[in-house]
Amino acid sequence: MRILVIEDERKVASFIQRGLEEERYIVETAPDGEAGLELALNNHFDAIVLDVMLPKLDGYSVLSTIRDSGNTTPVLMLTARGTTEDRVQGLDLGADDYLPKPFHFEELAARLRSILRRSAPEKSTKLHCGDLVLDMVTHFAFRNDKEIELTTKEYALLEYLMRNKDRILSRSMIMQHVWKHNFDPESNIIDVYIKRLRSKVERPDGPTLIHSVRGVGYRMRDTPMPEDGDGDTDES
Ligand code: CA
């Protein structure tokens, strides 16, 4: 999942970024309110961590502009100001949760998981496709009870595919959800990662799970197609 961190204190921003990357999130950071708002309005993020005291545009203004645009991305607000009035203001403007500084990273991570779960259509912490299981808390994948080790990017890609099981996902949708916003859309990086993921996830004796949709992108499904076998079924 892709998270935007809008925080001007460089140390805090990199502390959050490092921690979240260890938890397998794809993280982008913005150093002020204007840059953060621009990123939030023009890209897909699964959640936003938003500081209140920011240069150029404060966190409340960023939040209200995001919500006024109809964008409902979950927002976790961070602030040193812990008064009730400030908390109420953030929540009234459409923040999903509120964390006073200083905080322990574990608490930020737990609150983030909680707002992400609330916004997800399914509340389970595990995703299934056939006999493949992805545990979103431990970040382990299992097929037929055998553990599969995934890198951060492979995990993010597999999670996005599995969350959208049975849906055809175009390369640009995958790019927007799993890669950072400044990535070259012409690159063949997605196909490279799909190939790696297939080598880890697919089994010669099991049904193909990751299907190519020619000219469009990919689809994850566990119902076998008649012409299945090599994972390159043309579904177009
Ligand atoms: Ca600040």
Side-chain angles (χ1 to χ4, degrees):
M1 285 203 260
R2 213 160 83 151
I3 312 292
L4 173 61
V5 177
I6 311 176
E7 164 64 83
D8 58 312
E9 283 168 73
R10 208 183 290 175
K11 263 174 132 173
V12 179
S14 72
F15 163 73
I16 297 174
Q17 178 169 19
R18 256 182 294 131
L20 291 178
E21 284 174 351
E22 277 170 27
E23 303 259 332
R24 306 294 183 98
Y25 295 103
I26 306 298
V27 182
E28 298 209 45
T29 58
D32 62 66
E34 271 178 20
L37 182 61
E38 159 92 28
L39 274 173
L41 293 178
N42 296 301
N43 299 275
H44 166 86
F45 290 98
D46 294 288
I48 300 170
V49 176
L50 175 61
D51 190 28
V52 169
M53 305 289 277
L54 288 168
K56 295 189 184 172
L57 199 61
D58 69 71
Y60 295 130
S61 309
V62 172
L63 178 61
S64 67
T65 309
I66 289 174
R67 291 295 183 247
D68 285 349
S69 77
N71 183 323
T72 58
T73 305
V75 171
L76 173 61
M77 295 205 84
L78 299 180
T79 184
R81 296 189 296 176
T83 68
T84 308
E85 205 175 287
D86 289 326
R87 278 202 296 276
V88 169
Q89 187 180 353
L91 294 171
D92 275 348
L93 285 171
D96 295 80
D97 202 355
Y98 196 97
L99 183 61
K101 285 178 175 175
F103 54 85
H104 289 286
F105 178 77
E106 288 70 25
E107 183 171 7
L108 179 134
R111 284 177 187 266
L112 200 55
R113 280 195 298 274
S114 158
I115 62 173
L116 285 165
R117 251 197 322 273
R118 268 186 263 155
S119 71
E122 53 161 313
K123 307 278 175 195
S124 165
T125 57
K126 288 192 176 110
L127 297 169
H128 297 262
C129 184
D131 56 359
L132 177 68
V133 179
L134 190 66
D135 187 316
M136 294 182 287
V137 176
T138 63
H139 308 117
F140 284 126
F142 297 90
R143 184 150 192 198
N144 209 11
D145 294 328
K146 208 172 149 251
E147 190 182 317
I148 302 165
E149 214 175 293
L150 300 170
T151 64
T152 296
K153 189 61 87 181
E154 290 163 357
Y155 174 86
L157 177 58
L158 185 61
E159 185 188 353
Y160 180 57
L161 291 170
M162 289 182 77
R163 273 185 188 281
N164 294 284
K165 201 175 90 167
D166 298 323
R167 261 182 81 193
I168 295 176
L169 302 172
S170 69
R171 283 183 181 75
S172 72
M173 287 164 79
I174 295 172
M175 192 67 89
Q176 274 183 32
H177 283 79
V178 183
W179 269 267
K180 296 192 182 188
H181 77 282
N182 51 5
F183 211 86
D184 173 14
E186 299 300 316
S187 107
N188 69 341
I189 192 79
I190 291 175
D191 306 287
V192 171
Y193 271 91
I194 289 279
K195 201 171 167 195
R196 282 192 211 167
L197 208 48
R198 279 177 168 155
S199 73
K200 292 190 176 185
V201 160
E202 301 290 6
R203 288 192 337 210
D205 55 331
T208 301
L209 301 179
I210 302 170
H211 301 260
S212 301
V213 183
R214 188 166 297 168
V216 184
Y218 296 95
R219 159 153 65 175
M220 192 116 192
R221 61 188 293 167
D222 49 12
T223 332
M225 306 276 291
E227 67 274 42
D228 268 1
D230 60 2
D232 270 321
T233 312
D234 181 2
E235 295 188 9
S236 54

